[in-house]
mmCIF file of all heavy atoms in Angstrom:
data_model
loop_
_atom_site.group_PDB
_atom_site.id
_atom_site.type_symbol
_atom_site.label_atom_id
_atom_site.label_comp_id
_atom_site.label_asym_id
_atom_site.label_seq_id
_atom_site.Cartn_x
_atom_site.Cartn_y
_atom_site.Cartn_z
ATOM 1 N N VAL A 505 105.234 81.571 -13.252
ATOM 2 C CA VAL A 505 106.626 81.446 -12.833
ATOM 3 C C VAL A 505 107.497 81.386 -14.073
ATOM 4 O O VAL A 505 107.304 80.522 -14.923
ATOM 5 C CB VAL A 505 106.836 80.146 -12.005
ATOM 6 C CG1 VAL A 505 108.266 80.076 -11.497
ATOM 7 C CG2 VAL A 505 105.864 80.123 -10.845
ATOM 8 N N PRO A 506 108.465 82.307 -14.241
ATOM 9 C CA PRO A 506 109.319 82.243 -15.420
ATOM 10 C C PRO A 506 110.083 80.934 -15.474
ATOM 11 O O PRO A 506 110.604 80.465 -14.463
ATOM 12 C CB PRO A 506 110.284 83.427 -15.220
ATOM 13 C CG PRO A 506 109.612 84.316 -14.224
ATOM 14 C CD PRO A 506 108.810 83.405 -13.348
ATOM 15 N N VAL A 507 110.154 80.343 -16.632
ATOM 16 C CA VAL A 507 110.890 79.091 -16.817
ATOM 17 C C VAL A 507 112.117 79.373 -17.664
ATOM 18 O O VAL A 507 111.987 79.749 -18.828
ATOM 19 C CB VAL A 507 110.018 78.026 -17.507
ATOM 20 C CG1 VAL A 507 110.796 76.727 -17.659
ATOM 21 C CG2 VAL A 507 108.768 77.775 -16.695
ATOM 22 N N PRO A 508 113.319 79.239 -17.126
ATOM 23 C CA PRO A 508 114.523 79.562 -17.888
ATOM 24 C C PRO A 508 114.834 78.508 -18.930
ATOM 25 O O PRO A 508 114.342 77.386 -18.868
ATOM 26 C CB PRO A 508 115.614 79.587 -16.799
ATOM 27 C CG PRO A 508 115.113 78.630 -15.765
ATOM 28 C CD PRO A 508 113.618 78.766 -15.774
ATOM 29 N N GLU A 509 115.652 78.892 -19.892
ATOM 30 C CA GLU A 509 116.169 77.919 -20.842
ATOM 31 C C GLU A 509 117.124 77.001 -20.105
ATOM 32 O O GLU A 509 117.958 77.451 -19.309
ATOM 33 C CB GLU A 509 116.910 78.642 -21.983
ATOM 34 C CG GLU A 509 116.006 79.478 -22.859
ATOM 35 C CD GLU A 509 115.038 78.613 -23.634
ATOM 36 O OE1 GLU A 509 115.431 77.507 -24.057
ATOM 37 O OE2 GLU A 509 113.889 79.040 -23.824
ATOM 38 N N GLU A 510 117.065 75.710 -20.380
ATOM 39 C CA GLU A 510 117.839 74.758 -19.598
ATOM 40 C C GLU A 510 118.600 73.812 -20.524
ATOM 41 O O GLU A 510 118.034 72.870 -21.073
ATOM 42 C CB GLU A 510 116.912 73.948 -18.692
ATOM 43 C CG GLU A 510 116.171 74.832 -17.702
ATOM 44 C CD GLU A 510 115.195 74.039 -16.880
ATOM 45 O OE1 GLU A 510 114.369 73.333 -17.463
ATOM 46 O OE2 GLU A 510 115.283 74.121 -15.649
ATOM 47 N N PRO A 511 119.891 74.052 -20.732
ATOM 48 C CA PRO A 511 120.675 73.213 -21.616
ATOM 49 C C PRO A 511 121.219 71.983 -20.918
ATOM 50 O O PRO A 511 121.065 71.800 -19.714
ATOM 51 C CB PRO A 511 121.816 74.157 -22.020
ATOM 52 C CG PRO A 511 122.024 75.003 -20.784
ATOM 53 C CD PRO A 511 120.660 75.183 -20.186
ATOM 54 N N GLY A 512 121.880 71.170 -21.709
ATOM 55 C CA GLY A 512 122.651 70.060 -21.164
ATOM 56 C C GLY A 512 121.835 69.055 -20.407
ATOM 57 O O GLY A 512 120.796 68.603 -20.855
ATOM 58 N N ASP A 513 122.328 68.681 -19.218
ATOM 59 C CA ASP A 513 121.701 67.655 -18.409
ATOM 60 C C ASP A 513 120.703 68.222 -17.399
ATOM 61 O O ASP A 513 120.275 67.515 -16.498
ATOM 62 C CB ASP A 513 122.778 66.856 -17.655
ATOM 63 C CG ASP A 513 123.534 65.920 -18.584
ATOM 64 O OD1 ASP A 513 123.027 65.666 -19.692
ATOM 65 O OD2 ASP A 513 124.629 65.471 -18.212
ATOM 66 N N VAL A 514 120.352 69.463 -17.510
ATOM 67 C CA VAL A 514 119.368 70.050 -16.610
ATOM 68 C C VAL A 514 117.982 69.606 -17.060
ATOM 69 O O VAL A 514 117.643 69.654 -18.234
ATOM 70 C CB VAL A 514 119.477 71.591 -16.623
ATOM 71 C CG1 VAL A 514 118.423 72.201 -15.704
ATOM 72 C CG2 VAL A 514 120.868 72.030 -16.215
ATOM 73 N N LEU A 515 117.163 69.170 -16.125
ATOM 74 C CA LEU A 515 115.815 68.721 -16.460
ATOM 75 C C LEU A 515 114.940 69.903 -16.846
ATOM 76 O O LEU A 515 114.980 70.952 -16.205
ATOM 77 C CB LEU A 515 115.188 67.997 -15.272
ATOM 78 C CG LEU A 515 115.851 66.700 -14.806
ATOM 79 C CD1 LEU A 515 115.058 66.108 -13.641
ATOM 80 C CD2 LEU A 515 115.950 65.700 -15.935
ATOM 81 N N SER A 516 114.159 69.707 -17.881
ATOM 82 C CA SER A 516 113.194 70.729 -18.264
ATOM 83 C C SER A 516 112.046 70.729 -17.266
ATOM 84 O O SER A 516 111.905 69.813 -16.439
ATOM 85 C CB SER A 516 112.660 70.470 -19.670
ATOM 86 O OG SER A 516 111.809 69.330 -19.662
ATOM 87 N N GLU A 517 111.198 71.759 -17.363
ATOM 88 C CA GLU A 517 110.035 71.843 -16.468
ATOM 89 C C GLU A 517 109.156 70.597 -16.607
ATOM 90 O O GLU A 517 108.730 70.005 -15.617
ATOM 91 C CB GLU A 517 109.230 73.104 -16.810
ATOM 92 C CG GLU A 517 107.945 73.220 -16.013
ATOM 93 C CD GLU A 517 106.963 74.181 -16.676
ATOM 94 O OE1 GLU A 517 107.287 74.737 -17.745
ATOM 95 O OE2 GLU A 517 105.869 74.340 -16.139
ATOM 96 N N ALA A 518 108.886 70.197 -17.854
ATOM 97 C CA ALA A 518 108.022 69.040 -18.087
ATOM 98 C C ALA A 518 108.661 67.769 -17.544
ATOM 99 O O ALA A 518 107.983 66.915 -16.959
ATOM 100 C CB ALA A 518 107.738 68.895 -19.575
ATOM 101 N N GLU A 519 109.967 67.635 -17.737
ATOM 102 C CA GLU A 519 110.666 66.443 -17.233
ATOM 103 C C GLU A 519 110.649 66.392 -15.716
ATOM 104 O O GLU A 519 110.512 65.314 -15.117
ATOM 105 C CB GLU A 519 112.101 66.441 -17.767
ATOM 106 C CG GLU A 519 112.189 66.164 -19.259
ATOM 107 C CD GLU A 519 113.508 66.563 -19.871
ATOM 108 O OE1 GLU A 519 114.374 67.119 -19.145
ATOM 109 O OE2 GLU A 519 113.684 66.338 -21.079
ATOM 110 N N ARG A 520 110.768 67.543 -15.061
ATOM 111 C CA ARG A 520 110.718 67.574 -13.596
ATOM 112 C C ARG A 520 109.358 67.122 -13.084
ATOM 113 O O ARG A 520 109.255 66.384 -12.102
ATOM 114 C CB ARG A 520 111.012 68.997 -13.088
ATOM 115 C CG ARG A 520 112.485 69.367 -13.118
ATOM 116 C CD ARG A 520 112.746 70.629 -12.290
ATOM 117 N NE ARG A 520 112.075 71.793 -12.853
ATOM 118 C CZ ARG A 520 112.596 72.597 -13.774
ATOM 119 N NH1 ARG A 520 113.782 72.322 -14.256
ATOM 120 N NH2 ARG A 520 111.938 73.647 -14.201
ATOM 121 N N ARG A 521 108.297 67.581 -13.759
ATOM 122 C CA ARG A 521 106.950 67.195 -13.314
ATOM 123 C C ARG A 521 106.759 65.693 -13.434
ATOM 124 O O ARG A 521 106.247 65.039 -12.512
ATOM 125 C CB ARG A 521 105.903 67.939 -14.151
ATOM 126 C CG ARG A 521 105.899 69.438 -13.979
ATOM 127 C CD ARG A 521 104.574 70.039 -14.437
ATOM 128 N NE ARG A 521 104.261 69.733 -15.822
ATOM 129 C CZ ARG A 521 104.568 70.508 -16.852
ATOM 130 N NH1 ARG A 521 105.231 71.634 -16.641
ATOM 131 N NH2 ARG A 521 104.216 70.179 -18.086
ATOM 132 N N VAL A 522 107.152 65.143 -14.577
ATOM 133 C CA VAL A 522 107.001 63.700 -14.798
ATOM 134 C C VAL A 522 107.871 62.925 -13.811
ATOM 135 O O VAL A 522 107.430 61.937 -13.209
ATOM 136 C CB VAL A 522 107.359 63.347 -16.252
ATOM 137 C CG1 VAL A 522 107.449 61.835 -16.431
ATOM 138 C CG2 VAL A 522 106.332 63.924 -17.217
ATOM 139 N N ALA A 523 109.115 63.373 -13.629
ATOM 140 C CA ALA A 523 110.038 62.667 -12.729
ATOM 141 C C ALA A 523 109.522 62.669 -11.295
ATOM 142 O O ALA A 523 109.612 61.656 -10.585
ATOM 143 C CB ALA A 523 111.420 63.310 -12.800
ATOM 144 N N ALA A 524 108.975 63.799 -10.862
ATOM 145 C CA ALA A 524 108.472 63.893 -9.490
ATOM 146 C C ALA A 524 107.341 62.903 -9.241
ATOM 147 O O ALA A 524 107.300 62.219 -8.210
ATOM 148 C CB ALA A 524 108.009 65.316 -9.203
ATOM 149 N N LEU A 525 106.426 62.801 -10.200
ATOM 150 C CA LEU A 525 105.305 61.868 -10.043
ATOM 151 C C LEU A 525 105.771 60.422 -10.131
ATOM 152 O O LEU A 525 105.288 59.555 -9.388
ATOM 153 C CB LEU A 525 104.244 62.158 -11.100
ATOM 154 C CG LEU A 525 103.484 63.477 -10.914
ATOM 155 C CD1 LEU A 525 102.612 63.776 -12.128
ATOM 156 C CD2 LEU A 525 102.634 63.433 -9.652
ATOM 157 N N ALA A 526 106.708 60.147 -11.033
ATOM 158 C CA ALA A 526 107.236 58.780 -11.148
ATOM 159 C C ALA A 526 107.949 58.377 -9.863
ATOM 160 O O ALA A 526 107.838 57.228 -9.410
ATOM 161 C CB ALA A 526 108.179 58.685 -12.342
ATOM 162 N N ALA A 527 108.683 59.310 -9.276
ATOM 163 C CA ALA A 527 109.392 59.016 -8.026
ATOM 164 C C ALA A 527 108.427 58.748 -6.885
ATOM 165 O O ALA A 527 108.755 58.022 -5.934
ATOM 166 C CB ALA A 527 110.315 60.183 -7.669
ATOM 167 N N GLN A 528 107.219 59.307 -6.960
ATOM 168 C CA GLN A 528 106.210 59.067 -5.932
ATOM 169 C C GLN A 528 105.465 57.752 -6.133
ATOM 170 O O GLN A 528 104.592 57.407 -5.345
ATOM 171 C CB GLN A 528 105.203 60.221 -5.925
ATOM 172 C CG GLN A 528 105.794 61.555 -5.498
ATOM 173 C CD GLN A 528 104.869 62.724 -5.778
ATOM 174 O OE1 GLN A 528 103.670 62.543 -5.976
ATOM 175 N NE2 GLN A 528 105.425 63.924 -5.816
ATOM 176 N N GLY A 529 105.798 57.039 -7.225
ATOM 177 C CA GLY A 529 105.196 55.734 -7.454
ATOM 178 C C GLY A 529 104.057 55.710 -8.446
ATOM 179 O O GLY A 529 103.410 54.675 -8.629
ATOM 180 N N HIS A 530 103.777 56.821 -9.109
ATOM 181 C CA HIS A 530 102.709 56.855 -10.107
ATOM 182 C C HIS A 530 103.108 56.059 -11.347
ATOM 183 O O HIS A 530 104.264 56.068 -11.765
ATOM 184 C CB HIS A 530 102.399 58.298 -10.527
ATOM 185 C CG HIS A 530 101.760 59.119 -9.456
ATOM 186 N ND1 HIS A 530 102.423 59.520 -8.306
ATOM 187 C CD2 HIS A 530 100.510 59.631 -9.358
ATOM 188 C CE1 HIS A 530 101.607 60.244 -7.562
ATOM 189 N NE2 HIS A 530 100.446 60.323 -8.168
ATOM 190 N N THR A 531 102.153 55.381 -11.939
ATOM 191 C CA THR A 531 102.388 54.699 -13.211
ATOM 192 C C THR A 531 102.380 55.720 -14.345
ATOM 193 O O THR A 531 101.934 56.864 -14.169
ATOM 194 C CB THR A 531 101.311 53.648 -13.492
ATOM 195 O OG1 THR A 531 100.054 54.322 -13.693
ATOM 196 C CG2 THR A 531 101.181 52.660 -12.333
ATOM 197 N N ASN A 532 102.863 55.293 -15.515
ATOM 198 C CA ASN A 532 102.864 56.203 -16.662
ATOM 199 C C ASN A 532 101.456 56.675 -17.006
ATOM 200 O O ASN A 532 101.243 57.836 -17.356
ATOM 201 C CB ASN A 532 103.495 55.524 -17.883
ATOM 202 C CG ASN A 532 104.998 55.359 -17.728
ATOM 203 O OD1 ASN A 532 105.567 55.721 -16.695
ATOM 204 N ND2 ASN A 532 105.647 54.821 -18.736
ATOM 205 N N ARG A 533 100.476 55.776 -16.920
ATOM 206 C CA ARG A 533 99.110 56.162 -17.236
ATOM 207 C C ARG A 533 98.568 57.141 -16.199
ATOM 208 O O ARG A 533 97.842 58.076 -16.540
ATOM 209 C CB ARG A 533 98.218 54.918 -17.329
ATOM 210 C CG ARG A 533 96.789 55.217 -17.768
ATOM 211 C CD ARG A 533 96.088 53.985 -18.272
ATOM 212 N NE ARG A 533 96.699 53.459 -19.483
ATOM 213 C CZ ARG A 533 96.496 53.960 -20.697
ATOM 214 N NH1 ARG A 533 95.706 55.005 -20.866
ATOM 215 N NH2 ARG A 533 97.083 53.415 -21.738
#
């Protein structure tokens, strides 16, 4: 899946993955 460049306050692909798991209640580990 092409990943566009994302400036400003747009979440990067990696940040979205981490945020989604954190929102589901996963711990950092």
